[in-house]
Amino acid sequence: MDGQFCPFGATVLARMRWAMTWARVGVAILVTALLAPACTITGASATVAAGRPGPPRALTVDGDRAPVGVDPDDVEFAWHVSVRRAGAGQGAYRILVSTRPDRTPPDRSVVWDSGVVASAQQAFVGYRGPRLAADQAYWWSVATADASGRFGAFAPAQRFVTGLRDGDWRAQWLRPGPPGPVPEEYTYVRHDARLSASPIVRAVLYVAAAHHDDVHINGVHADTGNAFAYPDELYYQATDVTALVRAGRVNSIGVLHHWYGAGQGRPAAIPGLLVELSVLHRDGRRELITSDGTWKQHAAEWLPAPPRNDEGDFVERVDGRLSPLGWDRPGFDDRSWAATPVLGPAGTPPFTHLVASRTRIGEQAVPPVSVRALPDGSVVADFGAVIAARPAVTFRAGRSGRVVGLHVGFLLDADGHVSTTRGTQGTDLHDEYIERAGRQTFEPLTYLGFRYLEVTRPGEPIRASDLTAFARHTVLPDDGATFTSSDPFLDRVFALTERSAAFSAQEQFVDTPTREKGQFLADAFNESQATMGAFGEQDLSWQALRDFARSQARYWPDGRVNAVYPNGDGARDIPDYTELYPEWVWQYYLATGDRATLAALYPVVARIDDYLARSVDPHTGLVTRLPGGSGDYEFGIVDWPPAMRYGYDVATAARTTVNVLAVNAYARTAQMAEVLGRGLDAGPATTRARALTAAINARLTRPDGVYVDGLEADGTGSAHASQQANALALAFGIVPPSRTGSVGAYVAGLGIALGPMNGLSLLRALHVAGRDADVVRVLDDRTDPGWGHILASGGTFTWESWTPIDLEGDSMSHGWGSSALVAFQEALLGVTRVAAGADGGPAVAVQQPNDGLASARGTVPTIAGPLSIAWTRTHGRTTLHLVVPPNLRVSLRTGESPSHVRRLGAGTFTIELISH
């Protein structure tokens, strides 16, 4: 009966051994792969005998399948283990990398043979062979052995194409646009070149731009990229365009370039564009088409426009009559166009270094769910939910010179128009288009968050098929999380968090797709946990963590990290955002097992620890007036917006939330040190954590054990005991076991008295206190502020505040509330990621939810594959159905006695538990 109850279509095969140990708290059931005596193989083509592992599947490089433009100095492999008999554990692996597919030693095309590596690690396995060439196709394969050392077949070889190092570029940096300073520019840049007649084997387009490029080849859209990083660490994007180029003919490369100065998420720079098209022919010839002084430019049809807000974005005003139709096709007459100025080769300041991007934006055309014509002739489209998107409108009978307005938004006024006064986040959400004669489509270049689109008095009938929203976010893995339960409304809350997480993942994690598109650390911390939990996302989190690490080197020798990075206002920190960084690094490691990145970021985390330790008052033992921030952020933000502090005593000199986060930073540093084999570093971090924990519990609690908001400057305790102080103390393990119940009851009794920024900490606190029924209640509540109230109010995206205030510009498309998705997995499904074992294999813990739902089921992405789990509770009996992907170690802990354990298939189990 192998492979039953597998909703993904792939057979999940694993034979597990159940070892039961009784403890006072209940039963701990350990699910591990069946071990057998070890042996070795000597050849790369071992025959797959009955019972041997099957060829691995789902092969990826740097988190992507068959990627193009991989950093040749940072190649990491991953796969899913397959089995053909009971015995799912991976005992060893062997990787081959070749310049030709399906080659094995001693073939000369094999550039690296890892040999047999005894390890259960199946992700983030680094390439360790000779230096890889740039712009080169490689094929790789992997075979795995079971615990007894019996190898199966190699997986079908998969291709990856390396990108370019700084010294590999042959293109010249161009400076599009007018020579003088302008607030923003839109410029067409083009070039025609003839390719030789030999058939084309591969063509790869490499592009870097500050800030935006929209590339066309021979009249077909080829790629869109945005690089908002600092110019000395700018990302470039590589795209396979083999299907678009033509051998023996003139080929046209056209780029719509957009630059718009410094702003949220965009540091100061100058306009820049670097393009290199690499074409490999069947006869072995490689041709390069590179940006240089022969490329022509022309101002695009965008007109000067007012700012949308004070964050550096601009309204789009476009004159369709000025569009140079056919500009992106071969043979276009560009003799009147000007030469594009050349800055110099790759490495020319300010663009001194380029980084291969692991992420890219994907777009999907979304039709409206309804369209309504208003009495004044305007047309309003409803896309059903708030999305991050670019609107597009097709005019079938355009009249030259007619001006049409577009307006997007979140709410409708009573007269049916899209509101320009409510839910705008202090942002001008309109665009303007001047028509040319005939059929045409107006498609703004930049994206916004919105649900409704209004076309103001278009002067012709507009049909539903004329209206589109190009919804966009970073490309996410296909295997997403699922959650369904006995509470349908709760299922909708899960969908709310999942959708909000996806649309907050853009070129970087954004504060909001509507107004502040910068990557704020607390927002990114929450959104990253949600995307890793919802989609098994890795690459955007990897990029964001490295970005914030760079901010320490750029701005903060004392150990802080920037509050938002990259950004147009330079050094800018918020102390408790810095404190969140070690937790984020640790959560990324638990989700991915990426030891190399953990090692790279460990020094950053260690410097944060030293920054915190320097602010410990020797008399109280507490972190006091932690340096950083200004205004409302000085010494720590606590929560945001200010209304979401719910009276937190920010006058305290030693804030409880700041101290709790400092303990956690020390503790995570110690755990990282242990994982990395740096035991000597773990001791001091552990000592710091214990001392600070003792000081918190001695000085920052009331007689009943409830935590107050901190110490006042005179050394007295605050009279206020906030939910933030108590929820964080529970969530981060400060509360002694003897007080967990009383502190949990206090937190639960406050309902929701903290903001979405700290929402996951509240839910984790309730779970730690054994109050899973309160987790359900808090998520489900439709009347009091919270996630359920957002839905009940018609919201379709998490909010910046539970009670948005238009006067404050509060966001109704704010992703940090999406982190509640993690609580669905941890508390309601009972799945928590834990550190890999000594063998490097992935692991999770499963704990039975103690109350709140009659049933819940779902899938949780892991690097081993999706884990499927279902709980059903009836008449004092709980049934757990568990489908475990091969090589995933699962430890099951429950407070109830297992009366029956039944394996339905290898890796598929049904467990019945009887309540005491």
Side-chain angles (χ1 to χ4, degrees), residues 394-415:
T394 295
F395 302 99
R396 298 170 182 269
R399 189 180 68 200
S400 181
R402 181 164 58 197
V403 179
V404 181
L406 267 65
H407 192 90
V408 299
F410 292 77
L411 302 170
L412 298 179
D413 288 332
D415 59 5

Side-chain angles (χ1 to χ4, degrees), residues 91-114:
Y93 65 81
R94 184 178 181 182
I95 296 173
L96 298 176
V97 177
S98 173
T99 56
R100 301 177 68 183
D102 296 319
R103 297 295 169 142
T104 59
D107 192 294
R108 292 184 179 181
S109 67
V110 175
V111 298
W112 183 52
D113 179 353
S114 72

Side-chain angles (χ1 to χ4, degrees), residues 404-435:
V404 181
L406 267 65
H407 192 90
V408 299
F410 292 77
L411 302 170
L412 298 179
D413 288 332
D415 59 5
H417 285 278
V418 176
S419 183
T420 60
T421 58
R422 298 181 300 120
T424 64
Q425 303 175 33
T427 298
D428 185 340
L429 297 174
H430 97 280
D431 292 313
E432 184 178 285
Y433 183 65
I434 303 173
E435 295 179 346

Side-chain angles (χ1 to χ4, degrees), residues 193 237 306 355 430 439 465 489 511 591 646 650 657 732 875 899:
Q237 190 159 290
V355 180
H430 97 280
R439 184 185 178 94
S465 58
F489 186 78
D511 179 290
Y646 287 89
V650 293
T657 53
F732 291 107
H875 306 300
S899 63

Side-chain angles (χ1 to χ4, degrees), residues 56-60 63 65 77-82 90 119-125 477 479 532-533 535-539 587-595 831 833-837 839-844 860-867 884-889:
R57 55 192 177 81
L59 275 61
T60 60
R65 299 184 182 185
F77 303 109
W79 58 88
H80 288 174
V81 175
S82 295
Q90 174 185 296
S119 173
Q121 184 180 0
Q122 63 179 102
F124 293 93
V125 177
D479 293 335
M532 288 190 293
F535 308 105
E537 177 273 317
Q538 302 170 0
D539 288 339
Q587 291 299 329
Y588 169 80
Y589 170 69
L590 293 183
T592 64
D594 182 358
R595 288 172 57 94
V831 180
R833 293 177 175 86
V834 297
D839 61 0
V844 299
V860 178
T862 78
I863 58 174
L867 171 70
V884 183
N887 205 46
L888 180 69
R889 185 181 62 191

Side-chain angles (χ1 to χ4, degrees), residues 509-522:
F509 290 111
V510 294
D511 179 290
T512 167
T514 304
R515 174 182 169 83
E516 292 185 291
K517 299 179 183 179
Q519 183 170 251
F520 283 80
L521 196 151

Side-chain angles (χ1 to χ4, degrees), residues 746-889:
Y746 183 79
V747 170
L750 295 175
I752 294 183
L754 47 65
M757 169 183 156
N758 286 308
L760 178 56
S761 290
L762 169 60
L763 299 171
R764 278 179 166 156
L766 295 171
H767 178 54
V768 166
R771 307 184 71 99
D772 292 337
D774 285 314
V775 173
V776 174
R777 175 182 57 81
V778 166
L779 289 168
D780 234 2
D781 195 331
R782 309 182 196 195
T783 56
D784 291 332
W787 294 270
H789 184 250
I790 292 175
L791 277 179
S793 302
T796 55
F797 203 117
T798 52
W799 297 345
E800 181 177 15
S801 163
W802 302 128
T803 53
I805 302 171
D806 284 319
L807 188 62
E808 300 290 335
D810 291 345
S811 165
M812 298 179 75
S813 56
H814 210 94
W816 59 13
S818 66
S819 61
L821 181 144
V822 179
F824 280 85
Q825 297 177 335
E826 294 180 348
L828 305 185
L829 291 178
V831 180
T832 303
R833 293 177 175 86
V834 297
D839 61 0
V844 299
V846 172
Q847 181 177 1
Q848 178 193 354
N850 60 44
D851 202 358
L853 291 169
S855 66
R857 68 186 299 154
T859 53
V860 178
T862 78
I863 58 174
L867 171 70
S868 181
I869 185 169
W871 297 95
T872 303
R873 199 188 318 266
T874 55
H875 306 300
R877 185 183 300 271
T878 299
T879 301
L880 164 63
H881 199 101
L882 192 64
V883 182
V884 183
N887 205 46
L888 180 69
R889 185 181 62 191

